[in-house]
Amino acid sequence: MNAKQISDKSIISNKRGAALVEMALIVSLLFVLLFGLIDFGLLLKDYLALSQVSREASRSAAVGSSMAIINSRISTWCSSIGLDDSDLEPTIVFTDPNTGEVCPLGDSGTHNDAPMGAMISVTLEYPHQMIAGGLFGVPDNWQLQTTMVTRRE
């Protein structure tokens, strides 16, 4: 073999090696973007589902439903949209229109004890588990929280 053939083979080999390194860098970047988009999409889905559950619970409380019915609606909505209601932490309070005092919502068995015109606030907290969070240096668990406020009818 002459020197020209040896140098041509090494140039081709170097080009293949460079292409392999470039492809590895690009594929890893695309991998990070893909899993980031998937994680963000699932986080957004859980947040929107949580907002819908709190909206339904708030509406139920606003029409005077008892706590048993409100909790039943929370469980029903959670199961229908894919949230685990055992991880859900609801806080339901009302602001008395006469005194401005914030009180936990209770009931008399058939109706809740919020007076007419009171502002009822339903806050739900839900732990969202990231799929690839630890892989990218972000926390694995995010605490999602949403609050809906409605006037007692």
Side-chain angles (χ1 to χ4, degrees), residues 1-76:
M1 283 189 155
N2 63 24
K4 178 152 176 66
Q5 286 178 335
I6 292 174
S7 75
D8 285 345
K9 284 184 179 181
S10 66
I11 288 173
I12 291 171
S13 176
N14 286 341
K15 285 184 180 180
R16 286 183 186 160
L20 186 62
V21 169
E22 289 170 1
M23 187 182 84
L25 290 172
I26 296 299
V27 167
S28 63
L29 179 63
L30 290 175
F31 179 73
V32 167
L33 287 174
L34 175 68
F35 278 99
L37 285 172
I38 290 170
D39 263 348
F40 179 73
L42 292 173
L43 178 79
L44 187 60
K45 177 202 76 87
D46 280 354
Y47 179 76
L48 292 174
L50 191 65
S51 293
Q52 180 63 27
V53 171
S54 71
R55 188 177 301 114
E56 287 296 321
S58 180
R59 176 67 184 144
S60 184
V63 296
S65 299
S66 67
M67 289 299 292
I69 291 174
I70 294 169
N71 288 327
S72 171
R73 286 194 184 215
I74 289 173
S75 293
T76 302

Side-chain angles (χ1 to χ4, degrees), residues 58 61-62 92-94 105 112 114 118-122 148-150 152:
S58 180
I92 306 174
V93 297
F94 69 92
L105 189 66
N112 64 47
M119 298 303 288
I120 299 174
S121 172
V122 176
M148 292 292 163
V149 179
T150 54
R152 172 74 162 85

